[in-house]
Amino acid sequence: MTSIDTDETGLGPGWVRACPTSDIDIDTAFIVDVKPPVAVYHIEDGFYATDDTCSHAESSLADGYIEEGWVECELHYAKFNIKTGAVMAPPANRPIGTYPVQIVDDIVYVDLSEHRGCAIAALRP
Ligand code: FES
């Protein structure tokens, strides 16, 4: 992970560089190496970010199956809406958090200071 130069991008201090847009094919995800980790997804209408850790247990959602705006956890097959973090299928019963994403010069940035929803927010400093 690399902190970004806010003078260069115009983004605030909570934003971190994730990866070039070309590194994430449609319906795949990239893990941003922060604690707790964040998954950046490329879906049909753009790039989105959520907590990478499934709210059911400790599986990485970036390693799951992605289709039509949802991600399916590979461990027990819970499904989450990538845009909202809402649970779409059990066994998970808690949503995952989401983060704002912006693209600057073909680089994906995530605002870690704007975590929305879920219990993992309590772990982020
Ligand atoms: S760890 Fe994701 S559904 Fe169980």
Side-chain angles (χ1 to χ4, degrees):
M1 178 193 68
T2 307
S3 295
I4 59 173
D5 181 343
T6 54
D7 291 340
E8 199 173 288
T9 64
L11 300 174
W15 291 86
V16 297
R17 182 187 192 279
C19 62
T21 55
S22 58
D23 281 6
I24 317 177
D25 291 334
I26 292 275
D27 290 338
T28 66
F30 176 88
I31 300 174
V32 183
D33 185 19
V34 291
K35 293 199 184 311
V38 169
V40 175
Y41 308 86
H42 186 185
I43 61 176
E44 190 76 26
D45 65 350
F47 292 84
Y48 295 86
T50 72
D51 295 317
D52 182 52
T53 305
C54 180
S55 64
H56 178 242
E58 295 292 320
S59 188
S60 168
L61 293 172
D63 291 338
Y65 181 71
I66 299 162
E67 184 177 286
E68 296 181 357
W70 49 260
V71 58
E72 182 180 66
C73 179
E74 69 173 358
L75 195 56
H76 307 112
Y77 312 114
K79 286 185 184 178
F80 300 92
N81 182 309
I82 288 170
K83 294 181 182 179
T84 67
V87 176
M88 298 176 65
N93 59 15
R94 291 179 296 129
I96 53 174
T98 62
Y99 301 85
V101 170
Q102 287 205 32
I103 310 299
V104 179
D105 295 333
D106 295 323
I107 302 293
V108 182
Y109 293 94
V110 179
D111 186 359
L112 298 181
S113 70
E114 288 294 323
H115 185 269
R116 299 172 183 143
C118 118
I120 290 177
L123 300 175
R124 190 161 311 281

